[in-house]
Amino acid sequence: MSTNTKITGNDLIALGYRQGKWMKEAIAHINENKLEGKDMETYLKQFKSPDPIELHKKPVDFSINIKAENEEEKDNVNKVINSMQTLMKTPTLVAGAIMPDACPAGPDGTIPVGGVAVAKNAIHPGMHSADICCSVMLTDFDKTDPKDILDAAHANTHFGPGGRDRDSQFRFPKALLEAFESNYFLNDGQMIQIARSHLGTQGDGNHFLFVGKSKKTGNTMLVTHHGSRGPGARLYTKGMKIAERFRRDLSPDTKKQNAWIPFDTEEGQSYWDALQIIRDWTKVNHEVIHNSVAETLDINIENRYWNEHNFVFKDGDLFYHAKGATPLDAKFMPDITGPRLIPLNMSEPVLIVEGATTKTNLGFAPHGAGRNVSRTQHRKSKTGTTMQIFKEETRGLDIRFFSKEIDITELPSAYKNAKAVRAQMDEYGLGNVIDEVMPYGCIMAGDWQKNAPWKIRREKRNRNKKR
């Protein structure tokens, strides 16, 4: 090709090169230096993309630690297994497992809730999802009255969208601020502002604050369940964008939700570090709520431990993506201080478990009871008034919704049968229950959208238009 005619992007694409940001600079260099023939070919070699990485022809084997207990569950289990079979064709994956609480979480090929996917030298943001480091923390308050704990917690926590106003924000640790500022993915003003205001908040959905008594000791225990809130969601969005860039170049046949960031790249190293910082933020997020209860009541903390169940865990060059799976193996938790926590539903105990790693559990246990049907399906299946349903399912418990609006899709009937999940834990070797936190009461966000400010404004506008 003669350089008498200037080279264009279309010329490079015709030669087999993929379009990208590099092209503008390369075209300018070729034209300015009048490169042609072998000289141009030698220069362009640095931009030649490798052959696309193909999907596995057959799904990589994965362990099935779940079975349908009734007709309703058969459809759920089949969907989970089918989605995992598609997922396990992703070229980075080498092993996988599904837990007894597994349920679908998106289109075919999306890792289910209750799924574990092991990748080699790759981090898949879509496999830890937007709720990065969703986790549970327990604090033992000795023989304190559980009602006092629940009342103090209710006064100090925050559920629902948004963060705390300036007057009610918790102190943001200096070391954590410096960590945010040091990381490419986290160092932007809006991210840090959200991290400040969301500290000490618990979100919505299935996130909760639970109070109960140890079956073994009778001590009152506070358990919180939430993830990394706004900061984690923003990191996930950034991670997915980076992963998509790599997917287009490395493996365009891979489904978008399964795109990955190679760990041995600058982006991979930075994203991994960002995940650890978000993990630290989330742990502090639990701690400030628990500590505020102790300070309000002027009581001592007897014990405390925690674990995440929505994260990526590293072991050598393997990355264990757990989307709703509790790590049993100590190698996954650098700050382990106690056993693991598996909540079931607001009327059931929080299980305190330990367990050994096996070939089929990959070092994980369930993270809860899971769902058989969607929230919409569950809502349609209920009869009676909301209050009737609520009273029937929460009899004898102190159940509160922060928004003051009952969310029936978070009541016990919305979840799988807790006894069945526990039985399958025993059957498949997924952890041993060493204690149980028997329920006293629970706080959840509730149906905050029912009277959300934007809805009130919209209704007001509609009323004004009709006048």
Side-chain angles (χ1 to χ4, degrees):
M1 184 178 291
S2 172
T3 54
N4 291 331
T5 302
K6 287 192 174 183
I7 290 293
T8 67
N10 289 332
D11 294 324
L12 298 186
I13 292 171
L15 290 171
Y17 292 90
R18 292 187 193 169
Q19 191 170 5
K21 292 182 179 180
W22 64 274
M23 272 194 177
K24 184 177 180 181
E25 185 178 337
I27 291 167
H29 180 86
I30 291 169
N31 290 328
E32 286 172 11
N33 292 278
K34 298 182 179 179
L35 299 181
E36 60 181 345
K38 288 187 177 180
D39 289 337
M40 185 174 73
E41 186 179 322
T42 300
Y43 170 73
L44 285 172
K45 276 184 179 179
Q46 62 183 304
F47 303 112
K48 192 74 174 178
S49 299
D51 291 336
I53 302 172
E54 296 182 357
L55 300 176
H56 295 307
K57 291 183 179 179
K58 294 182 179 180
V60 171
D61 289 341
F62 59 95
S63 300
I64 301 174
N65 301 297
I66 185 175
K67 65 180 182 182
E69 297 285 345
N70 52 52
E71 286 299 318
E72 184 181 56
E73 290 189 354
K74 282 184 179 179
D75 183 56
N76 174 73
V77 172
N78 287 338
K79 285 178 180 176
V80 166
I81 292 173
N82 289 340
S83 195
M84 277 295 287
Q85 287 175 334
T86 303
L87 174 83
M88 297 307 294
K89 290 183 178 180
T90 306
T92 58
L93 298 187
V94 296
I98 48 178
M99 299 291 150
D101 56 337
C103 52
D108 182 53
T110 302
I111 186 172
V113 175
V116 179
V118 187
K120 190 165 186 177
N121 278 323
I123 306 173
H124 295 257
M127 295 186 194
H128 61 55
S129 77
D131 197 9
I132 300 174
C133 200
C134 192
S135 45
V136 275
M137 177 174 283
L138 177 148
T139 295
D140 185 334
F141 285 114
D142 200 5
K143 297 299 190 291
T144 306
D145 187 330
K147 184 179 186 304
D148 291 343
I149 297 293
L150 196 63
D151 288 344
H154 200 164
N156 285 288
T157 192
H158 170 105
F159 280 91
R164 292 175 175 268
D165 59 42
R166 287 184 177 273
D167 294 334
S168 64
Q169 287 180 11
F170 290 100
R171 186 184 67 82
F172 200 81
K174 182 180 178 183
L176 198 54
L177 175 61
E178 291 173 348
F180 269 75
E181 292 174 339
S182 70
N183 184 272
Y184 162 77
F185 285 96
L186 305 178
N187 184 19
D188 73 67
Q190 192 172 10
M191 171 77 86
I192 293 172
Q193 182 183 355
I194 291 172
R196 286 183 183 277
S197 66
H198 281 208
L199 192 65
T201 69
Q202 297 198 243
D204 53 16
N206 66 348
H207 297 150
F208 63 74
L209 187 150
F210 178 102
V211 176
K213 287 191 174 185
S214 162
K215 190 174 183 179
K216 183 179 289 186
T217 67
N219 286 3
T220 298
M221 294 175 166
L222 166 64
V223 179
T224 48
H225 170 225
H226 59 257
S228 51
R229 304 287 285 113
R234 288 177 66 84
L235 174 61
Y236 164 78
T237 299
K238 291 182 178 183
M240 286 299 287
K241 287 180 180 178
I242 298 293
E244 174 59 15
R245 289 184 211 160
F246 280 107
R247 187 194 70 84
R248 289 197 299 262
D249 284 341
L250 299 177
S251 184
D253 288 341
T254 291
K255 288 181 176 291
K256 287 187 176 183
Q257 68 264 36
N258 297 328
W260 73 86
I261 305 174
F263 180 64
D264 57 2
T265 62
E266 185 178 346
E267 295 92 336
Q269 300 284 319
S270 184
Y271 190 73
W272 174 252
D273 290 342
L275 287 172
Q276 309 319 303
I277 295 167
I278 287 293
R279 181 182 189 271
D280 291 342
W281 182 94
T282 308
K283 187 177 182 181
V284 172
N285 194 33
H286 285 281
E287 289 173 342
V288 295
I289 295 170
H290 289 238
N291 291 346
S292 70
V293 172
E295 291 166 8
T296 297
L297 298 175
D298 193 21
I299 53 177
N300 294 324
I301 293 170
E302 294 296 312
N303 197 4
R304 174 178 289 165
Y305 41 89
W306 86 303
N307 63 263
E308 60 270 67
H309 50 226
N310 219 65
F311 202 59
V312 186
F313 305 89
K314 185 176 182 294
D315 182 26
D317 62 357
L318 297 180
F319 291 80
Y320 290 70
H321 298 75
K323 185 176 179 180
T326 301
L328 292 173
D329 200 317
K331 69 185 178 185
F332 295 136
M333 295 189 67
D335 52 359
I336 181 173
T337 58
R340 313 300 185 271
L341 303 165
I342 302 178
L344 297 167
N345 66 57
M346 61 176 64
S347 68
E348 293 285 341
V350 173
L351 307 181
I352 300 178
V353 305
E354 291 179 339
T357 299
T358 67
K359 185 178 180 180
T360 52
N361 70 25
L362 302 182
F364 291 87
H367 86 303
R371 296 175 184 267
N372 282 320
V373 298
S374 69
R375 293 176 186 272
T376 301
Q377 288 175 289
H378 173 261
R379 192 179 286 110
K380 289 179 178 178
S381 73
K382 306 304 290 183
T383 58
T385 67
T386 297
M387 184 56 70
Q388 286 172 338
I389 297 166
F390 171 73
K391 285 183 176 180
E392 181 181 341
E393 296 199 31
T394 63
R395 191 172 289 112
L397 300 173
D398 185 349
I399 305 300
R400 311 176 187 185
F401 290 103
F402 199 76
S403 65
K404 298 183 174 61
E405 297 291 346
I406 296 168
D407 180 359
I408 64 170
T409 68
E410 285 301 332
L411 296 180
S413 62
Y415 290 89
K416 291 186 179 183
N417 181 278
K419 289 182 180 178
V421 173
R422 293 183 66 164
Q424 290 184 34
M425 285 175 61
D426 291 338
E427 180 177 351
Y428 294 109
L430 305 173
N432 304 310
V433 178
I434 61 173
D435 195 5
E436 302 174 43
V437 186
M438 309 306 292
Y440 167 81
C442 179
I443 308 169
M444 302 189 81
D447 188 2
W448 60 268
Q449 294 190 67
K450 187 172 183 179
N451 292 313
W454 66 267
K455 279 194 173 182
I456 294 172
R457 287 195 296 269
R458 185 183 65 184
E459 289 168 2
K460 186 176 180 180
R461 284 197 302 267
N462 290 339
R463 285 195 300 268
N464 291 337
K465 287 179 181 177
K466 291 177 181 178
R467 287 176 183 174

